[in-house]
Amino acid sequence: MKDRLDETKTDDAKPLAGTQTLVRGLDVISAVSDGHVTVQAISEALGLTRSTAHRLASTLVDQRFLNFTPRVGYSLGPKLLELGHQASRQMSLTRTAHDYLVNLAHATSDTVHLGIRDGDQALYLDKVPGGRRVEISSRVGDRHPLRSTGLGKALLLDETPEQWAAVYDAESMTHPGYMVGRAEWLKRMKTYAEGGYSFDLEENEDRIRCVAAPIRDMGNRIIGALSLSSAAQYMDDDRMQALIAEVIATARAISAEFGWTEKWLEGE
């Protein structure tokens, strides 16, 4: 316990500059990872005073990046496990799905996106341009609303009507002016959930339409989604209907890479 409580008065009491503090905090995590588990060991490994090492380590414990056990010392914390799992899932999903996205883009000449749900938004992880001269403003790393994008709706297909309504109401505050009314949107979501796909009917970007479908894991949980996007002139109602099967088939092929099997379709 002494390591956590001991602070010397010889340390610089002034707060560290933001960037320097961040770098030193990351260095402390690395030091603990390398087996330096006491304040003394961390301070010696990094050339910090004991007080600075203690202050940084204590903050990292508060934020769950480190754990502290009396008479044992510091260890990596649960926040790192959570972030590592999320990073691994994102990276593996992007890597695994990419060739399927390329094939779908080549087969249809349309732009294909891959994304996941990140809190209350859709995070775009990959984008494969199609063969048409259509400018779609999305970029990898962009975050978009859930209710107005085909990809975002696909990520919501397993939610309850009450959860759909909560998403709609929340985005009414953050993204006002949405052209689809609440009752109509909920009705569409019910249809999409029953069919295993979703549409964006020029709701997120003017003159851009999308067909989307969820990607699932071995437990049938939605872990991501893909969308096929193009200008409205190439995406009339008939073509969008015709593309549903192809988009779903691609999503299911990616899902199979994560252990999903067609046994889940038996309950449909």
Side-chain angles (χ1 to χ4, degrees), residues 37-66:
V37 298
T38 66
V39 167
Q40 183 65 34
I42 293 169
S43 65
E44 290 176 357
L46 301 180
L48 302 174
T49 63
R50 284 176 58 88
S51 186
T52 296
H54 172 267
R55 184 164 61 249
L56 290 168
S58 296
T59 299
L60 291 167
V61 169
D62 291 341
Q63 297 300 315
R64 301 172 60 242
F65 287 97
L66 294 179

Side-chain angles (χ1 to χ4, degrees), residues 97-109:
H98 185 74
D99 286 348
Y100 292 96
L101 307 185
V102 170
N103 291 340
L104 183 60
H106 287 172
T108 61
S109 297

Side-chain angles (χ1 to χ4, degrees), residues 221-240:
R221 293 176 292 266
I222 294 175
I223 59 171
L226 65 87
S227 67
L228 188 67
S229 307
S230 194
Q233 68 189 82
Y234 302 115
M235 282 280 197
D236 61 23
D237 293 348
D238 288 343
R239 183 163 188 261
M240 291 185 78

